């Protein structure tokens, strides 16, 4: 069945100019109080976003937020649960591991202005702060020419424009109770940039599988067997499956800390999980320079699911 872009959150937008990712843990001190706050947040978050869009229409504000499996079980123990919402289990490869880290509530905000991302998160936290602790807050930015911080163009293989909602929003045939929701996998990487920068451009290109300057894909015989665009591909059943992925640079340059915040939106987590499994079991060459320090799966509710939460139906 066709999905409805108006009923989903912003899981099909581009990476944005200025970005804030927030992962929160519920204190779990009082379930009734926690649920009341979450009900208020499900209701008020829509008004906060709409108000900002009215006041700053040129800022291209995009927001998505959601719950982990553990948070859903805690907050809504008697409610239906999204079919593929599960605790993320770490993936061990021969050399590297995709770690699993805590998190109950996930917030992803992007806009042209850093002031707008700040204001949205600040207003959200005024509601949520009494019942949560902060697991992680990461501020990202659009790098030169939309490149990842490692210097390559990002998002070339992403579904484009409105087409992307067909890859990110759950349809009725998959899970009718949660149609127009989405799954978000969030993973934060720290890069060994000194090692990466010391490589010749040709060796970097073989590791990624694309030309650095013009972004054209290398011929198969030019790529390393574990090149990033080979190892991260999902071709289950002989068909390439896609998600909407964003690699957002972040950095503390004075401290020589440089990283990428990866967020992947999909209508079924199984696709993302296969991509991750391929990356880590095949020892994706990029992992020699990129260490994952977080990893968690979240469900991004539709407008209709948010309404049910706000009205206490779950």
């Amino acid at each position: 069945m066709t999905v409805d872009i108006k009923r989903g959150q912003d899981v099909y937008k581009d990476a944005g100019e200025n970005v804030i990712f927030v992962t929160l843990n519920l204190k779990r001190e009082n379930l009734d109080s926690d649920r009341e706050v979450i009900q208020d947040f499900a209701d008020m978050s829509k008004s906060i976003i709409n108000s900002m869009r009215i006041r700053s229409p040129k800022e291209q504000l995009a927001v998505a937020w959601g719950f982990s499996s553990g948070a859903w079980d805690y907050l809504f123990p008697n409610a239906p649960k999204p079919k593929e919402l599960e605790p993320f289990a770490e993936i061990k490869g021969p050399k590297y591991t995709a770690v699993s880290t805590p998190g109950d509530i996930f917030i992803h905000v992007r806009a042209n202005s850093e002031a707008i991302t700040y204001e949205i998160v600040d207003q959200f936290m005024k509601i949520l702060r009494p019942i949560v602790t902060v697991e992680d807050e990461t501020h990202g930015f659009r790098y030169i020419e939309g490149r990842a911080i490692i210097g390559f163009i990002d998002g070339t293989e992403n579904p484009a424009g409105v087409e992307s909602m067909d890859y990110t929003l759950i349809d009725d045939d998959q899970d009718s109770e949660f149609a127009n929701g989405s799954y978000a996998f969030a993973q934060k990487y720290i890069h060994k940039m000194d090692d990466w920068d010391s490589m010749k451009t040709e060796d970097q290109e073989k590791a990624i599988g694309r030309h650095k300057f013009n972004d054209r894909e290398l011929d198969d015989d030019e790529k390393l067997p574990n090149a990033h665009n080979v190892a991260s591909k999902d071709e289950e059943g002989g068909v390439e499956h896609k998600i909407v992925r964003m690699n957002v640079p972040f950095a503390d340059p004075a401290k020589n800390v440089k990283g990428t915040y990866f967020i992947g939106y999909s209508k079924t987590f199984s696709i993302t999980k296969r991509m991750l499994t391929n990356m880590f079991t095949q020892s994706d060459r990029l992992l020699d320079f990129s260490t994952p320090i977080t990893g968690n799966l979240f469900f991004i509710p539709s407008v209709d699911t948010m309404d049910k939460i706000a009205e206490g139906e779950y």
Side-chain angles (χ1 to χ4, degrees):
M1 179 178 177
T2 303
V3 295
D4 186 350
I5 194 171
K6 298 186 295 297
R7 309 308 292 172
Q9 295 196 57
D10 296 325
V11 297
Y12 47 86
K13 304 287 187 180
D14 65 14
E17 297 289 327
N18 294 276
V19 189
I20 301 180
F21 297 99
V22 178
T23 302
L24 306 170
N25 289 315
L26 291 161
K27 295 179 181 178
R28 289 174 165 80
E29 294 175 343
N30 184 302
L31 176 58
D32 290 338
S33 296
D34 292 348
R35 291 185 67 177
E36 287 179 8
V37 171
I38 294 300
Q39 288 168 5
D40 287 343
F41 180 68
D43 180 39
M44 296 174 65
S45 60
K46 292 180 291 184
S47 299
I48 291 169
I49 294 167
N50 288 339
S51 174
M52 185 58 70
R53 285 174 173 159
I54 291 170
R55 287 183 287 161
S56 303
K58 296 181 180 180
E59 294 296 342
Q60 296 184 334
L61 173 64
V63 182
W65 63 266
F67 305 100
S68 69
S69 175
W72 190 276
D73 292 343
Y74 169 69
L75 292 167
F76 316 118
N78 301 314
K81 186 176 181 179
K83 289 181 179 179
E84 293 199 25
L85 182 58
E86 60 187 46
F88 176 64
E90 67 177 28
I91 300 171
K92 285 185 175 292
K95 296 173 64 176
Y96 305 110
T97 298
V99 297
S100 173
T101 51
D104 288 320
I105 297 172
F106 175 71
I107 301 169
H108 177 195
V109 182
R110 58 263 200 216
N112 289 338
S113 166
E114 188 174 5
I116 301 302
T117 59
Y118 155 76
E119 182 67 17
I120 291 294
V121 173
D122 187 53
Q123 290 196 42
F124 280 9
M125 290 305 297
K126 282 181 168 62
I127 302 169
L128 294 170
R129 189 170 287 114
I131 67 165
V132 300
T133 59
V134 179
E135 176 69 20
D136 180 74
E137 178 178 346
T138 299
H139 292 234
F141 55 91
R142 184 182 187 274
Y143 194 40
I144 299 165
E145 297 181 331
R147 295 178 182 269
I149 205 164
I150 60 171
F152 284 75
I153 298 292
D154 181 54
T156 302
E157 298 298 327
N158 264 346
V162 177
E163 176 196 4
S164 63
M165 71 181 181
D166 293 328
Y167 294 86
T168 58
L169 298 181
I170 298 167
D171 62 41
D172 276 343
D173 292 337
Q174 292 170 306
D175 194 350
S176 59
E177 175 69 23
F178 297 104
N180 299 307
S182 184
Y183 294 97
F185 180 74
Q187 195 174 37
K188 186 175 178 179
Y189 288 87
I190 299 294
H191 298 304
K192 301 172 185 175
M193 287 297 294
D194 290 342
D195 293 344
W196 177 256
D197 288 340
S198 70
M199 293 175 64
K200 295 179 180 179
T201 297
E202 293 81 1
D203 291 331
Q204 291 182 351
E205 292 175 338
K206 290 176 182 178
I208 298 299
R210 307 190 76 87
H211 288 282
K212 192 171 186 178
F213 177 71
N214 63 20
D215 194 39
R216 183 170 52 83
E217 186 169 1
L218 298 182
D219 292 335
D220 289 343
D221 60 357
E222 297 178 286
K223 303 175 185 177
L224 293 177
N226 62 339
H228 179 61
N229 69 353
V230 174
S232 63
K233 186 178 294 186
D234 174 35
E235 292 185 322
E236 181 79 5
V239 177
E240 183 178 358
H241 302 279
K242 294 187 178 184
I243 63 173
V244 170
R245 62 181 83 194
M246 307 174 203
N247 291 297
V248 179
F250 67 90
D252 293 317
K255 298 177 182 178
N256 199 26
V257 174
K258 302 167 187 178
T260 294
Y261 201 110
F262 169 79
I263 176 72
Y265 289 112
S266 59
K267 62 181 179 181
T268 169
F269 178 57
S270 57
I271 296 174
T272 310
K273 185 192 291 188
R274 288 195 297 267
M275 291 177 171
L276 290 165
T277 301
N278 292 342
M279 281 182 62
F280 283 84
T281 59
Q282 297 176 32
S283 299
D284 186 328
R285 175 62 169 141
L286 190 54
L287 293 175
D288 290 335
F289 307 91
S290 310
T291 302
I293 60 172
T294 72
N296 208 331
L297 171 66
F298 302 92
F299 172 70
I300 308 301
S302 68
V303 173
D304 300 293
T305 299
M306 283 192 282
D307 288 344
K308 289 182 179 180
I309 293 170
E311 292 164 9
E313 294 182 17
Y314 280 161

